[in-house]
Amino acid sequence: MEGSRMENLVRAEKSLRLSLEKSKSVGLALERAGPRLAEIRQRLPSLGSAVRPIRAERDALVAVGGHINRAVGPAAAVLKVFDAVHGLEKSLLSDPRSDIAGYLSVLKRLQEALRFLGDNCGLAIQWLEDIVEYLEDNSVADQVYLANLKKELKNLRESQHGELDGGLLDAALRKLEDEFRLLLTENSVPLPMSAAAAGDGMACIAPSPLPVSVVQKLQAILGRLIANDRLDRCVGIYVEVRSSNVRASLQALNLDYLEISVSEFNDVQSIEGYIAQWGKHLEFAVKHLFEAEYKLCNDVFERIGLDVWMGCFSKIAAQAGILAFLQFGKTVTESKKDPIKLLKLLDIFASLSKLRLDFNRLFGGGPCVEIQNLTRDLIKRVIDGAAEIFWELFVQVELQRPNPPPVDGNVPRLVSFITDYCNKLLGDDYKPILTQVLIIHRSWKRQSFQERLLVTEILNIVKAVEQNVETWIKAYDDPILSHFFAMNNHWHLCKHLKGTKLGELLGDSWLREHEQYKEYYSTIFLRDSWGKLPGHLSREGLILFSGGRATARDLVKKRLKKFNEVFDEMYTKQSSWIMPERDLREKTCQLIVQAVVPVYRSYMQNYGPLVEQDASSTKYAKYTVQKLEEMLLCLYRPRPVRHGSLRSPTFSAKYGNGVPDLRRTASAVV
């Protein structure tokens, strides 16, 4: 009996030692799994030594063997998986570029292994804890050893909450992120604004800027990264690379003007060229750059969801410069009011209206709410500003009436500007836009709009200009200058409105009336000024030998002296007068020549010899016929204009009869 018990005890001891040897093998396997596994390897031998000094009855030892076997089985399976994880390390730390699909497959196996470890490490530790608990309950082992064993198991349980792969998964995911960035960077090429794009070609929609194979790789990488809660990092990388590419495309356009502030320019005219560029550049950005980014975002992120790819596109658009475009438009609306600003606001509205469908499609999603709000605000500012300036034009023309007329009898800048300006408003380029703006503006006030309101208002503005002209005609103290001014302005209105949209509205009778006024004032002007000059060359009393040659010479001298005095005075005064229309100027000068020169020529031919022999002949025969004619033909020419600046002149009420300065609007209207 005693021999049988010893035999059983030996078998139990042998079984226990075998189990412990397996535990040692587990430790060796863990050593190859990395720093974390090294901890497990170091602790398992101590567990083995902790259970060696076992002293118990045979029945208790038999039960212990069963518990050990059940614990070692799961632990051995865990070790095999640790070995598999270690085997994946070389592949996952290599460059994924050569075989992205293979790399993703290996990464998937790693994650499956880590899920197994996460599920089973705890189970293996639990089985070992059960052994300790059994040994403790049945007093199979010494309490000191059991305490040490519990401590080691506690450390193992705490270790399992850390990285079971020694950081391998995180390193692999970072490599995927790097590859994601590299694929984007290598395939993101700035798009130049070619000559074709600046013209009709701009209407085309740009294709996706990345090859299909690259998009597929990006999608595959995204899928694995998103499965590991790295969507935000992917979006961040994507936005950074693609927005940088769009900015590079726009950089060649020299968009520094978008940053200009209201304080940096005096009026809209000083940035008129920038506004024209703004429309072309915005269209290029929307139809070519942002359209391409919109499509690419959809291609890359479509499997993830609408909000994700729309949010990604919104960030790209904002960072790439769409907000700067909108801010520039707002800056223009905040500039000083003047009529030129109305045209520029209409240009801005036309550009935005042309891109309305594109804006709604590209920026209509929830993530683009900031762009939507800025766009709506800009459109409202443009419409309000344009409507306000238009409806105030009539008042501004009236406000110019008390100003004195030009001292040189020229056509006031207000007259020439407003006639040209109203023609532009009625032209095919601006009338449809202005009509649309006024319709929208009145609809906001729940007021209806008919096209006749626009036409009527423009006709009222022209009538106000007419009234200004009539007032200024009467304002001159010099009646001859008054006639000269009237002739100038009536001809300007007739000539510059004939054959125009505005001329058609005013009608032929209106145009003929102004032409008749021109003829009337021209006749009076010549009669009362140059027409009186030949009267000073009277032939009365100059019949030779009636009173003697000396008497005739004295009369000729006297009359030539008076002629010269009147001519010099009239010429000096009128040489500063201006007749801007070449046809009217040449015709008027010819009429003056016809009125003066033939009489002067005949007089000098007949009586010139009487004074030419005199020592002081140059005092009386002051001008040759040719010189006199040349002087008269050179009258009323406009002064040379400097061309040093490409900017249009700034019109202001500070200048007599200038274009109205609408900065006075508020006080003037009140």
Side-chain angles (χ1 to χ4, degrees):
M1 176 66 71
E2 184 65 27
S4 177
R5 290 183 61 187
M6 286 300 295
E7 185 178 354
N8 290 337
L9 185 59
V10 169
R11 282 198 300 270
E13 182 181 5
K14 191 174 184 179
S15 176
L16 182 57
R17 286 185 179 278
L18 182 61
S19 296
L20 291 176
E21 288 298 325
K22 291 181 180 179
S23 296
K24 291 181 180 179
S25 299
V26 170
L28 292 174
L30 290 175
E31 183 179 6
R32 294 192 300 271
R36 296 289 185 181
L37 302 182
E39 294 180 16
I40 298 174
R41 180 186 64 77
Q42 292 170 0
R43 290 181 180 128
L44 283 178
S46 64
L47 290 176
S49 63
V51 299
R52 280 196 190 98
I54 296 177
R55 299 290 185 270
E57 297 295 328
R58 176 185 175 190
D59 294 340
L61 291 175
V62 171
V64 168
H67 281 283
I68 291 175
N69 289 334
R70 285 193 297 274
V72 170
V78 167
L79 284 174
K80 288 181 180 179
V81 175
F82 269 122
D83 286 339
V85 168
H86 181 70
L88 300 176
E89 184 174 355
K90 182 178 179 181
S91 298
L92 293 175
L93 293 180
S94 63
D95 189 352
R97 162 142 303 201
S98 58
D99 183 10
I100 290 180
Y103 190 90
L104 292 173
S105 176
V106 173
L107 182 57
K108 183 179 180 182
R109 287 163 54 195
L110 172 64
Q111 291 188 275
E112 290 173 349
L114 292 178
R115 278 196 295 272
F116 176 84
L117 292 176
D119 293 340
N120 292 279
C121 268
L123 181 61
I125 293 172
Q126 183 63 52
W127 279 103
L128 293 174
E129 288 175 341
D130 288 346
I131 295 174
V132 174
E133 183 179 352
Y134 183 86
L135 294 175
E136 186 176 28
D137 291 343
N138 292 276
S139 301
V140 176
D142 183 79
Q143 292 299 319
V144 175
Y145 292 115
L146 291 176
N148 291 334
L149 194 56
K150 285 182 179 181
K151 181 178 179 181
E152 295 298 329
L153 289 173
K154 180 181 179 183
N155 291 336
L156 280 174
R157 184 172 290 281
E158 291 174 352
S159 297
Q160 73 159 333
H161 297 301
E163 296 177 339
L164 296 174
D165 62 345
L168 181 59
L169 176 61
D170 186 65
L173 294 175
R174 285 199 302 272
K175 279 189 169 294
L176 278 184
E177 289 177 358
D178 293 341
E179 180 62 20
F180 187 78
R181 178 187 294 275
L182 191 60
L183 278 172
L184 284 171
T185 303
E186 289 181 348
N187 292 277
S188 296
V189 180
L191 179 66
M193 183 176 176
S194 63
D200 295 336
M202 192 177 287
C204 69
I205 295 178
S208 174
L210 297 188
V212 175
S213 60
V214 174
V215 172
Q216 291 174 344
K217 290 178 181 179
L218 292 173
Q219 289 175 332
I221 293 174
L222 267 175
R224 184 52 49 195
L225 291 174
I226 291 172
N228 287 274
D229 298 325
R230 297 199 175 207
L231 174 60
D232 290 343
R233 296 174 70 167
C234 292
V235 169
I237 293 172
Y238 187 91
V239 169
E240 177 188 344
V241 174
R242 293 305 300 178
S243 62
S244 175
N245 187 66
V246 175
R247 286 196 301 272
S249 299
L250 293 173
Q251 188 175 5
L253 304 182
N254 190 18
L255 299 179
D256 293 342
Y257 69 86
L258 295 180
E259 306 299 326
I260 194 172
S261 64
V262 178
S263 62
E264 294 180 70
F265 61 95
N266 295 323
D267 50 47
V268 170
Q269 280 186 286
S270 62
I271 60 168
E272 192 172 356
Y274 291 149
I275 297 173
Q277 286 182 323
W278 177 85
K280 294 180 180 179
H281 292 165
L282 178 62
E283 185 173 357
F284 170 72
V286 170
K287 286 189 173 292
H288 287 267
L289 301 180
F290 294 129
E291 175 68 40
E293 295 306 320
Y294 180 87
K295 186 178 186 303
L296 185 59
C297 281
N298 180 38
D299 290 345
V300 175
F301 294 97
E302 64 177 336
R303 299 176 184 174
I304 304 170
L306 179 65
D307 289 343
V308 173
W309 73 261
M310 279 297 294
C312 189
F313 170 71
S314 172
K315 292 176 182 176
I316 291 173
Q319 293 183 21
I322 187 65
L323 301 182
F325 276 103
L326 298 175
Q327 179 58 46
F328 176 81
K330 181 182 177 182
T331 299
V332 174
T333 66
E334 293 172 342
S335 62
K336 299 172 184 177
K337 290 191 295 182
D338 62 55
I340 296 296
K341 180 179 176 180
L342 170 57
L343 300 181
K344 298 303 105 183
L345 290 178
L346 294 180
D347 288 339
I348 290 176
F349 181 83
S351 296
L352 293 173
S353 181
K354 186 177 182 180
L355 297 172
R356 180 174 61 86
L357 295 179
D358 298 285
F359 262 75
N360 290 341
R361 179 170 49 83
L362 298 179
F363 309 116
C368 296
V369 63
E370 181 182 9
I371 298 174
Q372 296 166 19
N373 291 337
L374 288 175
T375 304
R376 279 193 291 266
D377 178 66
L378 174 57
I379 292 174
K380 187 176 188 308
R381 286 172 175 270
V382 168
I383 291 175
D384 285 342
E388 182 180 5
I389 294 174
F390 176 74
W391 293 116
E392 290 177 357
L393 282 174
F394 175 79
V395 175
Q396 295 304 320
V397 171
E398 287 189 321
L399 287 174
Q400 303 301 307
R401 199 165 296 161
N403 292 334
V407 295
D408 57 8
N410 196 357
V411 176
R413 184 168 290 181
L414 174 72
V415 176
S416 58
F417 176 83
I418 289 296
T419 52
D420 180 61
Y421 186 76
C422 289
N423 262 323
K424 284 185 178 180
L425 293 181
L426 291 172
D428 295 335
D429 290 337
Y430 284 113
K431 185 181 178 182
I433 304 170
L434 179 57
T435 300
Q436 187 179 359
V437 165
L438 296 178
I439 289 174
I440 296 172
H441 187 257
R442 289 179 71 87
S443 70
W444 289 346
K445 297 181 176 182
R446 302 186 182 280
Q447 298 174 342
S448 60
F449 177 84
Q450 293 81 32
E451 186 176 347
R452 62 178 178 81
L453 292 176
L454 170 60
V455 173
T456 300
E457 187 65 18
I458 289 180
L459 291 178
N460 287 337
I461 293 171
V462 175
K463 290 177 181 178
V465 170
E466 283 187 285
Q467 186 60 47
N468 285 12
V469 170
E470 292 303 318
T471 301
W472 292 329
I473 289 174
K474 299 173 183 177
Y476 285 103
D477 294 329
D478 183 352
I480 295 177
L481 180 56
S482 174
H483 300 153
F484 182 87
F485 173 81
M487 177 174 51
N488 255 340
N489 283 270
H490 284 294
W491 180 241
H492 178 87
L493 291 173
C494 173
K495 177 182 178 180
H496 286 272
L497 295 183
K498 184 179 292 186
T500 65
K501 298 282 187 180
L502 182 55
E504 292 175 5
L505 283 177
L506 292 166
D508 292 338
S509 61
W510 186 93
L511 295 171
R512 282 195 301 270
E513 181 181 357
H514 281 281
E515 187 172 9
Q516 291 168 0
Y517 272 125
K518 184 268 295 184
E519 294 293 341
Y520 169 76
Y521 284 110
S522 176
T523 301
I524 296 178
F525 167 74
L526 288 170
R527 183 195 68 190
D528 293 347
S529 58
W530 298 101
K532 292 182 177 181
L533 190 59
H536 295 290
L537 298 178
S538 172
R539 295 170 183 260
E540 184 179 352
L542 293 179
I543 299 175
L544 293 180
F545 309 116
S546 61
R549 190 176 183 88
T551 301
R553 182 184 300 112
D554 290 341
L555 284 174
V556 170
K557 285 182 178 181
K558 182 179 178 181
R559 289 169 184 174
L560 282 175
K561 180 180 179 182
K562 184 62 176 179
F563 175 88
N564 290 335
E565 288 175 352
V566 175
F567 175 85
D568 288 344
E569 179 185 358
M570 194 178 300
Y571 185 85
T572 299
K573 181 169 65 173
Q574 295 194 23
S575 62
S576 63
W577 296 0
I578 293 177
M579 193 171 283
E581 303 299 336
R582 181 175 179 178
D583 54 350
L584 179 62
R585 182 175 65 251
E586 291 180 350
K587 181 179 179 181
T588 301
C589 289
Q590 283 292 344
L591 290 174
I592 295 173
V593 168
Q594 291 172 15
V596 176
V597 172
V599 175
Y600 184 75
R601 178 186 296 111
S602 175
Y603 195 83
M604 293 303 293
Q605 286 174 349
N606 291 319
Y607 307 110
L610 291 175
V611 297
E612 288 172 355
Q613 298 174 1
D614 194 280
S616 60
S617 61
T618 55
K619 182 178 179 181
Y620 304 104
K622 189 174 181 179
Y623 301 105
T624 65
V625 174
Q626 182 180 356
K627 178 63 175 178
L628 191 71
E629 183 174 356
E630 288 176 356
M631 291 175 66
L632 293 175
L633 289 175
C634 290
L635 282 170
Y636 315 132
R637 292 183 179 180
R639 299 181 184 90
V641 178
R642 293 182 179 181
H643 297 286
S645 172
L646 296 178
R647 288 175 48 185
S648 301
T650 301
F651 300 117
S652 170
K654 295 177 182 177
Y655 301 96
N657 295 285
V659 169
D661 182 354
L662 295 180
R663 286 170 285 180
R664 298 173 50 195
T665 297
S667 60
V669 173
V670 172

